[in-house]
Amino acid sequence: MRLEKVRFATLFFFIIYFVPFSYAQQPLNNRDNRLLKDGINVLKKYFVEKGYWHASDPGMAKDVKGLINFIEDEPIDSILFSINALTSDPSIIFVSRLPEHVTDSLSVPGYFAHDKVKKKSEMVKSKLQREYQNKEINLPPDRLAEVNRKAKTIPQGEGMKLFADSVFIMPGNLIIPEVIPDSILENEDSFNRLVELDSIRDAYVEQKRIEYNDSVLGYYKESALNQYRKELFDAQYNRWKEQFTDSVRLNNYQVLKGYNDYVMQAVNDSIFNVIQVLARYADYIDTTKIEIQNLHNEPYKIGLSNYSSRYQHVWLKNEQNDSLRLLVKNLDKRTLQFTIDDGVTFSRFKPKQTKGFDFSSLNKNKSGLTQVGDQYAVYTPWTISGNGNIGFTQAYIENWKAGGSSYLSLLSVLKGEVDYKSRDENVEWENSLELNNGWIRQGSETKKNSDNIEFISKFGYSAFKKWYYSFAVDIKTQLFKGYNYSTDQMISNFKSPITSTFKVGMDYKPNKNLSLLLSPITSKTVFVKDTANIDQTTYGIAENKQRLWKPGLNIDLAFSTKFKDNITYKTNYDMFVNYRAPFSKFDVNWENTITAKLTDLITMTFRLYIKYDDDVTFDTGEVDGEGNSIYETRWQVKELVTFGFTYNIDKKIRRTHRIR
């Protein structure tokens, strides 16, 4: 913005102080012409070019564009009155821009970017974790009851189960044989020792039972306590995170609004000065050519101008051919002066009929009706096609031994195409828009498993045989927010990222089922709008940037075929090679679709997506020697099989042309 302000200031200084003197005293030189062009370019940026700046009044924008056209093309004196009235109010707003459209938001002081949000969140999270680890927490009564229910302790008197199940091993000196010899029973001392041993063993078993129960209860209680501690931590952290996110959003809006208001004021002040100077210049140099005709339709041309005086002699004549010569002189571009010329003479050569009409002028050469051709050919310049597919999958599971959970999934794919082909087939224009969206609900949680919106437009002009000069535009993004569900971290949103690709090359189309587009001139841009919530570095964008631009070579292959009347296969292969590192950096998008038509409305669709982008990285869960997370590029694979309802559109717009 500083550079832009310096450029504005320099430009306006020269326009305001030098241009008026130039056109007031002599024709414009090369330097003055350059300054005027710079002024026009300033107005074009905010009133003509498409972008985030919008004129606050359409009528005013039309007048400013008219002023630009006047300087560049032809005089339009009528708009100068509106321009003069417009510039009488210095507080007028010429153009405006919404705060969210500030492109250099990351460089605005006070703006909270994603890396700052991430660092702050990690710092608060670590602090809360330490706090809850050292904090004494008591389980509520309902959680304690749940612990006792799950623990499955051994009731009193059943402690021997622990030894029978080999949880504990009975010491050898406490083992009592199952069958007691009669000699022991008959001997009183031996019998008393046996009774005493049985009493000692019972006490030992009871001790082990209590020890086991305490251990089991302790384990379940500790597990429940950790879970309860985590829930309390998550609740407090999520509350803080929600409040912090709201405060960041409010802070960023206020920061960008203040910055944007400042920039808007500077831009409108600059536009005000430029319009004033250009309007004065236009009013001064405007030249109007008019033509004066006398009764004999003899033309006399004269130019009206502010910076030069011109004159022209005009002969006035009546029906008797009496002549009177006038001197017509322009005083400025809006004023003419008429004077009778010196030495005026009158002459009359012959009388002339003043009333009468030559009716022979009405005779015209009448010819017969032209013959209308009666043979026509029909051709189809426009074709509108598309299909919509909605598929459902539902499962209910209860007491299923093998495990699993109930779920419901929905996948919808909408695709529309509008194609144009000229009558001579030299021009082709193909346009397509695809919306792909899928959700899955498992238990009480709903997750997104597919989300894509893609617009493709390709224009081709016949070069030779089956080759076309081609220009293509490809724009991809998603509609809804995407999360890493293991961490609840937002990783994508609408226009975050958005990928736009512009391609110029040659398209080989031997038939309607095959297209091979080779684009040696390709521009690919990845842009992340919401850098406060989304880490743009995972898409290869630098921490202090919002976009990544890559020049390269692009190869597009599209092929379709039918195995049977009801089974079709389509594949689209897109490969981009980055010129900055052609042997190590490349992107691949490969889409394969097999559609089996079961009935007129029901189809089975198999989709396989294979993707690779060297600028998109994944966290490996490992750290390097300095403790930083290690990221790597991976092949991305997605496979979808859907049964659902399908509706197809195939409309041809037909035209006729005469054969002879």
Side-chain angles (χ1 to χ4, degrees):
M1 183 58 200
R2 293 179 180 176
L3 180 59
E4 190 173 6
K5 288 171 64 180
V6 171
R7 187 173 69 249
F8 268 126
T10 305
L11 173 62
F12 298 148
F13 176 82
F14 280 105
I15 288 180
I16 293 172
Y17 290 99
F18 286 94
V19 172
F21 294 104
S22 298
Y23 66 68
Q25 300 183 22
Q26 61 181 4
L28 296 180
N29 55 34
N30 292 334
R31 182 196 61 181
D32 298 331
N33 280 325
R34 185 177 67 254
L35 293 175
L36 284 174
K37 289 180 181 179
D38 290 343
I40 292 171
N41 290 334
V42 169
L43 296 185
K44 280 185 175 181
K45 175 179 179 180
Y46 297 103
F47 289 94
V48 179
E49 297 176 2
K50 300 297 183 181
Y52 292 133
W53 292 95
H54 308 284
S56 57
D57 180 56
M60 174 187 62
K62 182 179 179 182
D63 289 339
V64 174
K65 291 177 182 178
L67 176 62
I68 297 172
N69 292 334
F70 162 75
I71 300 296
E72 289 188 326
D73 302 318
E74 57 184 356
I76 46 171
D77 184 60
S78 59
I79 71 166
L80 292 178
F81 295 101
S82 299
I83 290 292
N84 291 331
L86 191 66
T87 54
S88 63
D89 182 10
S91 63
I92 191 168
I93 301 298
F94 291 92
V95 294
S96 61
R97 179 180 66 177
L98 295 175
E100 56 265 30
H101 291 154
V102 175
T103 56
D104 52 348
S105 58
L106 294 176
S107 62
V108 177
Y111 183 82
F112 228 73
H114 175 269
D115 56 340
K116 295 181 181 178
V117 174
K118 185 178 179 181
K119 290 178 181 177
K120 178 70 174 178
S121 300
E122 291 176 351
M123 183 179 68
V124 172
K125 186 175 183 179
S126 299
K127 181 180 178 181
L128 281 177
Q129 285 176 339
R130 291 193 301 270
E131 178 182 333
Y132 272 90
Q133 285 175 355
N134 301 324
K135 187 175 182 179
E136 184 176 352
I137 298 176
N138 295 321
L139 285 174
D142 58 331
R143 297 292 181 103
L144 286 174
E146 183 70 13
V147 167
N148 292 329
R149 186 181 66 81
K150 290 183 177 180
K152 296 182 180 180
T153 57
I154 304 299
Q156 188 175 6
E158 299 182 8
M160 288 301 295
K161 290 182 179 180
L162 298 172
F163 295 91
D165 294 338
S166 300
V167 177
F168 297 112
I169 298 176
M170 187 70 70
N173 59 350
L174 295 180
I175 297 177
I176 299 178
E178 295 182 1
V179 179
I180 301 175
D182 293 339
S183 58
I184 296 178
L185 296 176
E186 293 175 354
N187 188 305
E188 183 177 356
D189 293 337
S190 299
F191 181 75
N192 290 335
R193 284 196 300 272
L194 181 62
V195 171
E196 183 180 359
L197 181 62
D198 184 64
S199 175
I200 294 173
R201 191 179 70 167
D202 289 343
Y204 178 77
V205 171
E206 180 64 15
Q207 176 186 350
K208 289 298 183 181
R209 183 189 72 83
I210 295 173
E211 180 182 335
Y212 173 78
N213 287 348
D214 290 343
S215 175
V216 171
L217 285 172
Y219 171 78
Y220 278 95
K221 185 176 181 180
E222 182 67 22
S223 177
L225 191 62
N226 290 335
Q227 179 64 28
Y228 185 57
R229 188 189 306 274
K230 183 178 183 302
E231 292 175 3
L232 293 177
F233 163 77
D234 290 341
Q236 183 170 345
Y237 177 69
N238 290 334
R239 283 195 301 271
W240 174 87
K241 189 175 181 180
E242 182 177 355
Q243 295 173 357
F244 178 62
T245 301
D246 292 341
S247 65
V248 168
R249 187 179 296 111
L250 178 61
N251 170 79
N252 288 349
Y253 175 79
Q254 292 175 342
V255 168
L256 292 182
K257 184 178 183 303
Y259 172 79
N260 192 57
D261 290 344
Y262 171 74
V263 175
M264 282 174 50
Q265 184 62 46
V267 169
N268 280 279
D269 290 344
S270 303
I271 291 174
F272 179 84
N273 293 329
V274 170
I275 288 179
Q276 274 192 328
V277 173
L278 294 183
R280 290 198 302 269
Y281 172 74
D283 185 60
Y284 187 83
I285 70 168
D286 185 19
T287 300
T288 302
K289 294 184 179 298
I290 63 172
E291 182 177 277
I292 302 174
Q293 292 186 356
N294 61 15
L295 190 62
H296 286 189
N297 296 326
E298 295 172 342
Y300 299 92
K301 296 182 179 180
I302 188 169
L304 304 181
S305 174
N306 281 328
Y307 60 84
S308 64
S309 296
R310 299 181 183 180
Y311 62 89
Q312 176 70 46
H313 288 93
V314 178
W315 284 97
L316 298 185
K317 297 179 180 292
N318 61 13
E319 293 184 351
Q320 284 74 35
N321 205 29
D322 295 332
S323 300
L324 176 65
R325 194 168 76 165
L326 299 180
L327 179 65
V328 181
K329 180 180 180 181
N330 80 296
L331 300 182
D332 55 44
K333 73 172 188 175
R334 294 184 179 89
T335 309
L336 283 175
Q337 183 185 68
F338 292 84
T339 58
I340 298 177
D341 198 7
D342 295 334
V344 172
T345 59
F346 294 90
S347 64
R348 177 172 293 172
F349 299 99
K350 63 180 179 179
K352 184 176 181 181
Q353 180 182 358
T354 59
K355 293 184 180 179
F357 187 80
D358 185 6
F359 288 95
S360 63
S361 62
L362 296 178
N363 294 330
K364 297 182 178 179
N365 183 21
K366 299 180 181 179
S367 60
L369 294 176
T370 57
Q371 188 176 11
V372 179
D374 57 353
Q375 294 186 7
Y376 293 86
V378 178
Y379 70 102
T380 306
W382 291 97
T383 302
I384 302 175
S385 60
N387 60 77
N389 181 274
I390 300 178
F392 300 90
T393 303
Q394 185 268 338
Y396 175 76
I397 297 175
E398 184 177 357
N399 298 327
W400 192 256
K401 185 65 176 177
S405 60
S406 303
Y407 67 90
L408 172 66
S409 68
L410 168 67
L411 176 65
S412 61
V413 180
L414 304 176
K415 186 172 184 179
E417 298 179 355
V418 179
D419 300 332
Y420 171 83
K421 178 178 287 189
S422 63
R423 189 176 68 187
D424 54 9
E425 298 187 354
N426 285 333
V427 177
E428 291 187 352
W429 186 20
E430 302 172 355
N431 302 273
S432 68
L433 177 65
E434 180 176 347
L435 303 177
N436 187 319
N437 192 251
W439 299 86
I440 182 170
R441 182 173 181 83
Q442 191 169 10
S444 60
E445 190 174 11
T446 302
K447 299 180 180 180
K448 182 178 73 171
N449 65 352
S450 181
D451 186 13
N452 181 59
I453 176 172
E454 181 174 9
F455 170 74
I456 301 175
S457 181
K458 183 170 68 173
F459 179 83
Y461 185 80
S462 179
F464 52 89
K465 293 185 179 180
K466 303 297 183 179
W467 289 88
Y468 289 79
Y469 302 113
S470 183
F471 173 77
V473 178
D474 189 343
I475 301 175
K476 299 178 184 178
T477 185
Q478 54 281 315
L479 292 175
F480 303 99
K481 296 178 181 178
Y483 293 89
N484 182 342
Y485 291 104
S486 61
T487 61
D488 289 334
Q489 176 67 40
M490 186 190 301
I491 57 177
S492 63
N493 199 354
F494 179 63
K495 295 199 296 187
S496 297
I498 179 171
T499 303
S500 56
T501 308
F502 299 89
K503 315 168 189 176
V504 178
M506 299 291 292
D507 190 8
Y508 176 65
K509 303 181 71 173
N511 53 62
K512 65 179 182 179
N513 297 326
L514 176 63
S515 172
L516 176 61
L517 175 60
L518 304 177
S519 307
I521 304 176
T522 301
S523 171
K524 188 172 186 178
T525 304
V526 182
F527 174 76
V528 174
K529 178 183 178 182
D530 186 5
T531 54
N533 296 309
I534 296 172
D535 185 3
Q536 72 271 26
T537 60
T538 58
Y539 297 100
I541 304 175
E543 288 188 358
N544 60 341
K545 301 291 183 180
Q546 285 184 291
R547 69 181 70 242
L548 171 66
W549 177 74
K550 300 183 287 185
L553 163 70
N554 208 88
I555 302 173
D556 293 272
L557 174 65
F559 174 73
S560 63
T561 187
K562 278 189 176 183
F563 296 127
K564 292 184 178 180
D565 291 340
N566 63 333
I567 300 178
T568 60
Y569 168 71
K570 292 183 178 180
T571 183
N572 290 280
Y573 180 84
D574 181 358
M575 182 176 181
F576 174 83
V577 179
N578 195 330
Y579 282 150
R580 293 174 175 172
F583 300 104
S584 60
K585 287 186 173 292
F586 61 93
D587 304 341
V588 173
N589 284 280
W590 189 13
E591 176 183 348
N592 298 271
T593 304
I594 298 176
T595 303
K597 188 176 181 181
L598 305 181
T599 67
D600 289 340
L601 294 177
I602 300 177
T603 60
M604 182 195 76
T605 305
F606 170 81
R607 292 182 175 86
L608 176 63
Y609 302 89
I610 301 175
K611 184 176 181 179
Y612 182 86
D613 189 339
D614 60 272
D615 292 314
V616 177
T617 58
F618 296 84
D619 191 350
T620 61
E622 302 177 355
V623 296
D624 57 17
E626 298 179 355
N628 299 319
S629 298
I630 298 176
Y631 290 83
E632 67 179 10
T633 305
R634 297 174 180 173
W635 284 91
Q636 305 170 53
V637 180
K638 181 169 65 174
E639 175 261 329
L640 300 169
V641 178
T642 58
F643 289 85
F645 299 95
T646 299
Y647 183 76
N648 295 309
I649 298 175
D650 189 5
K651 182 178 180 181
K652 301 181 183 298
I653 301 177
R654 304 185 185 279
R655 295 285 185 269
T656 61
H657 69 92
R658 191 192 303 272
I659 298 177
R660 61 179 177 86

